[in-house]
Amino acid sequence: MLNFIRMGILVLVVFFLSGCPSEGTAKPDGDIDSLASEMVGEVIQNLVFIEGGHFKMGDFGVIQNGRWLPYFPPSADEDVAHAVELSSFYLSKYEVSWREWDLYRLSVGKPIFFQGLDGKEERAAFDQDADSLYYINKPARVEWQEAKDFCLWVGQLTGHSFELPTSAQWEFAARNRGSKAWLYPTHDGQPTPNDQQKHMQGCDAWTGICPVGQRYPPNPLGLYDMAGNAKEWVEDWFSPTYYRESEGVKNPTGPSEGKEKVLRSTGLGSLDFSFTITKAPLIPQDGILVRAGFRCAVQSSEPIR
């Protein structure tokens, strides 16, 4: 009986996280390689230059009666505030969309798929159904290695050092260059209820996932969806002690090894804040690997366009 209940829960989880393949699909007009090349050009144009600097990464909290108290106690051990220095870098203003993902997969000759109970199953590309989780304008949610491979592919085509952002870069950008006034990664640094625009057209009623760049205003750096929408992969391995071990590090990249990768942005929940990190294993659980959204960074302080 217990196994039956567990299977029922797994079915619901997969359904809500994966969605169902949609019939509303359409092929783009034009040659796939040409369209992919145009898309890569758009990726370059949508990069935001972020000037580096020093900041307190993690939960810098507040001093009350001479004692430091964390803003978010449940995560205090993993989010210990520590000084970090970052070089300048570029970060995409948008999460990678399913349209971009499908173009990439077709361009490199890989199948388009959705995650089902029995593994990956092929689906039609360029889903035009706004209610589908695979709608072309919604953020692509994929496995960590797949996200990394996309960024590396863009880098190969452009000659620039495209990668996933580090956790430090993500937080620095989400908090308006690490400002203590930006406790939350919103347009004004203040908390925004996660369901404020959950029911706008094209947003999924269960997950709250909306078309890229449409849910909230951008933050002052011009970055969209740092608060809410899909959780995002970053480069770092996860370690519960890493924050306590990296005081004063320049351009931290996380532990040298591990079994779990870091996810940033809360995605689901009542409020979106920039300190708390989540993690996901890179080995299958119940035969399924965690999928999440992502955006690419360019590790360069020099102009690239």
Side-chain angles (χ1 to χ4, degrees):
M1 180 66 176
L2 182 59
N3 287 337
F4 178 79
I5 293 174
R6 287 175 175 169
M7 179 57 70
I9 293 173
L10 178 60
V11 169
L12 289 174
V13 168
V14 172
F15 176 81
F16 293 139
L17 292 183
S18 301
C20 296
S22 171
E23 298 298 329
T25 57
K27 293 182 179 180
D29 295 326
D31 174 75
I32 289 296
D33 289 339
S34 296
L35 291 171
S37 179
E38 291 176 10
M39 178 265 287
V40 169
E42 293 171 2
V43 171
I44 292 288
Q45 291 303 312
N46 286 329
L47 288 171
V48 174
F49 179 73
I50 299 174
E51 184 179 354
H54 296 80
F55 81 114
K56 275 284 189 179
M57 183 179 179
D59 192 343
F60 52 79
V62 64
I63 302 296
Q64 291 185 355
N65 299 321
R67 180 185 176 189
W68 176 83
L69 297 174
Y71 279 112
F72 307 110
S75 62
D77 289 342
E78 296 177 358
D79 287 344
V80 174
H82 55 288
V84 168
E85 180 183 356
L86 290 179
S87 301
S88 300
F89 62 100
Y90 288 84
L91 187 64
S92 175
K93 69 171 64 175
Y94 301 114
E95 294 171 319
V96 173
S97 69
W98 281 119
R99 170 184 170 272
E100 293 167 325
W101 178 257
D102 287 357
L103 278 171
Y104 153 66
R105 296 285 294 187
L106 293 175
S107 179
V108 298
K110 294 184 178 181
I112 307 298
F113 58 82
F114 75 99
Q115 181 68 55
L117 282 175
D118 297 323
K120 295 176 180 178
E121 301 178 27
E122 289 198 39
R123 63 174 173 84
F126 310 113
D127 195 331
Q128 304 292 313
D129 180 2
D131 292 327
S132 169
L133 285 181
Y134 295 94
Y135 176 51
I136 58 172
N137 293 329
K138 286 179 180 173
R141 293 183 299 150
V142 300
E143 297 165 14
W144 181 86
Q145 188 62 56
E146 294 169 338
K148 183 177 178 68
D149 288 346
F150 176 95
C151 295
L152 292 176
W153 171 73
V154 175
Q156 290 173 353
L157 294 182
T158 62
H160 298 298
S161 54
F162 274 82
E163 270 280 10
L164 291 172
T166 65
S167 186
Q169 288 175 330
W170 194 98
E171 184 176 319
F172 185 71
R175 286 176 42 205
N176 191 22
R177 297 190 63 250
S179 169
K180 284 191 174 182
W182 253 259
L183 180 60
Y184 296 83
T186 54
H187 67 285
D188 58 1
Q190 300 302 307
T192 300
N194 206 28
D195 60 356
Q196 177 176 316
Q197 292 175 284
K198 184 175 179 178
H199 302 294
M200 66 181 287
Q201 185 177 7
C203 294
D204 183 77
W206 288 100
T207 66
I209 299 275
C210 300
V212 168
Q214 294 187 22
R215 183 162 187 175
Y216 299 122
N219 77 355
L221 299 178
L223 303 169
Y224 289 83
D225 296 326
M226 301 299 279
N229 234 6
K231 293 183 180 181
E232 296 183 20
W233 291 116
V234 294
E235 183 67 27
D236 304 40
W237 290 107
F238 172 80
S239 165
T241 63
Y242 183 72
Y243 274 30
R244 296 196 294 272
E245 299 165 351
S246 53
E247 176 73 25
V249 173
K250 182 175 181 179
N251 297 322
T253 57
S256 59
E257 59 183 6
K259 295 182 179 180
E260 299 170 305
K261 285 292 185 178
V262 172
L263 288 165
R264 300 305 304 251
S265 180
T266 56
L268 299 176
S270 59
L271 293 174
D272 296 301
F273 46 85
S274 58
F275 295 126
T276 300
I277 61 176
T278 53
K279 54 190 182 295
L282 293 189
I283 56 175
Q285 293 184 326
D286 295 319
I288 297 175
L289 279 170
V290 172
R291 299 183 305 143
F294 69 101
R295 68 185 76 215
C296 298
V298 178
Q299 311 302 335
S300 174
S301 300
E302 301 298 324
I304 63 173
R305 60 173 184 262

